[in-house]
Amino acid sequence: MNRKVFITLAIGFLVAFNAHSAPTASVAHQANAKLLFKAKLRAAWATGPALAPDISSRFAKQGVTTDGVSTALALAGGAKELNPLLGASPSPLTLVGFTAIKVAYANHLALRPNQRAQARAADLCTLGSLGDGATANNLSVLIGASTGLPLAIGAWVATARYNDCMKAAQTAYLTHVAPQLWAEAQQEARLQR
């Protein structure tokens, strides 16, 4: 066989072999990186440090504020306050002060050192959803819903809002940390080859 033909065939064989084996290695590498990435995402949400700003903080402040406003409206419409801390007919100044305390508490929850993302979101989403549930209850009482129904509506709204808040907080957190986690997963997959 001619030397040039042999070299050409050998080079062609090597190129073809690399062309078929490289994508397989790349596909396997990408699949391994994706598995590592998913594991990192789950771990980051459960144990990752809390990052500011967080959507659940805004949610909590909005929930406690709408609760204060709707309580004032319901009381003006003739309803009685059920919160024993405030009494049956609290003054507007008492409502403003109590709402300000709840907003300050939301700020405290949002800024605690050494907290984890999921735990902070759960605390803030709970506070916000309780406020939204109370708002729904107050508005139901204001429009004249029958006894018991406002509490059921409030409980349903609180549950739905909590779930929405946790999903939004998780999405926001993971969107923020995903690029870094993807780079780490790819690096680890390269090292495992």
Side-chain angles (χ1 to χ4, degrees):
M1 183 184 281
N2 187 343
R3 185 174 169 190
K4 289 182 182 178
V5 172
F6 177 75
I7 292 174
T8 304
L9 287 175
I11 291 174
F13 175 74
L14 289 173
V15 169
F17 178 75
N18 283 337
H20 290 295
S21 65
T24 305
S26 178
V27 169
H29 165 72
Q30 289 296 324
N32 194 18
K34 285 180 185 177
L35 289 174
L36 288 168
F37 178 61
K38 287 179 183 179
K40 285 181 172 294
L41 283 177
R42 282 190 296 275
W45 175 238
T47 62
L51 302 170
D54 182 17
I55 193 168
S56 57
S57 177
R58 291 191 312 269
F59 178 84
K61 292 173 192 173
Q62 172 251 314
V64 298
T65 303
T66 57
D67 176 27
V69 171
S70 65
T71 299
L73 291 173
L75 290 172
K80 298 292 180 199
E81 176 61 55
L82 296 177
N83 188 338
L85 295 174
L86 299 176
S89 298
S91 70
L93 186 59
T94 303
L95 288 176
V96 169
F98 192 63
T99 300
I101 289 170
K102 290 189 288 185
V103 169
Y105 182 64
N107 285 331
H108 168 73
L109 290 177
L111 299 175
R112 286 182 300 178
N114 303 323
Q115 60 183 331
R116 300 293 177 214
Q118 186 176 20
R120 175 177 73 176
D123 292 346
L124 289 166
C125 289
T126 298
L127 183 62
S129 64
L130 289 174
D132 285 340
T135 300
N137 175 64
N138 292 337
L139 295 177
S140 299
V141 167
L142 189 61
I143 62 172
S146 63
T147 306
L149 184 61
L151 292 175
I153 291 171
W156 179 80
V157 167
T159 302
R161 292 294 283 163
Y162 176 83
N163 292 334
D164 290 345
C165 177
M166 286 299 288
K167 285 178 189 171
Q170 182 180 24
T171 300
Y173 181 80
L174 294 180
T175 300
H176 182 77
V177 300
Q180 176 187 352
L181 295 177
W182 176 244
E184 289 174 10
Q186 285 185 318
Q187 181 65 26
E188 286 179 29
R190 272 189 225 105
L191 294 174
Q192 290 177 357
R193 284 199 279 178

